[in-house]
């Protein structure tokens, strides 16, 4: 596993936990929500550099996406 892949996996874990904590989602719903989001796609895009950021910073993009329906 590359360093980038490891960072993305750790970020994914942390964001799933944040969804469960802040939105009271069960594990299955949190996994589905994140893996199907634009935020997850952007996390894998090296050009965004999101995988270098903190989980809370990336989660703020997901929160916005879930609220407004778009990544921004």
């Amino acid at each position: 596993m590359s360093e980038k892949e490891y960072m993305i996996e750790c970020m994914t874990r942390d964001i799933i936990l944040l969804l469960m904590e802040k939105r009271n989602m069960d594990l299955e719903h949190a996994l589905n929500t994140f893996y199907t989001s634009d935020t997850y796609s952007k996390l894998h895009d090296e050009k965004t550099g999101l995988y270098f950021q903190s989980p809370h910073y990336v989660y703020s993009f997901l929160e916005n996406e879930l609220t407004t329906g778009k990544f921004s």
Side-chain angles (χ1 to χ4, degrees), residues 17-70:
L17 291 172
L18 285 168
L19 280 170
M20 293 171 67
E21 176 186 326
K22 294 183 180 284
R23 290 195 160 236
N24 295 320
M25 291 184 181
D26 61 30
L27 179 59
E28 184 177 350
H29 189 209
L31 288 166
N32 187 51
T33 298
F34 188 55
Y35 284 132
T36 59
S37 71
D38 286 339
T39 304
Y40 181 73
S41 297
K42 300 288 186 188
L43 181 61
H44 283 270
D45 183 353
E46 283 190 41
K47 294 175 191 167
T48 67
L50 282 179
Y51 61 95
F52 281 119
Q53 304 302 320
S54 75
H56 288 278
Y57 179 75
V58 176
Y59 181 77
S60 69
F61 285 96
L62 180 61
E63 272 290 319
N64 186 60
E65 182 181 348
L66 294 174
T67 304
T68 65
K70 58 186 173 185

Side-chain angles (χ1 to χ4, degrees), residues 8-24:
I8 290 171
E9 289 300 319
C10 290
M11 179 75 70
T12 298
R13 175 202 62 213
D14 293 344
I15 292 175
I16 297 299
L17 291 172
L18 285 168
L19 280 170
M20 293 171 67
E21 176 186 326
K22 294 183 180 284
R23 290 195 160 236
N24 295 320

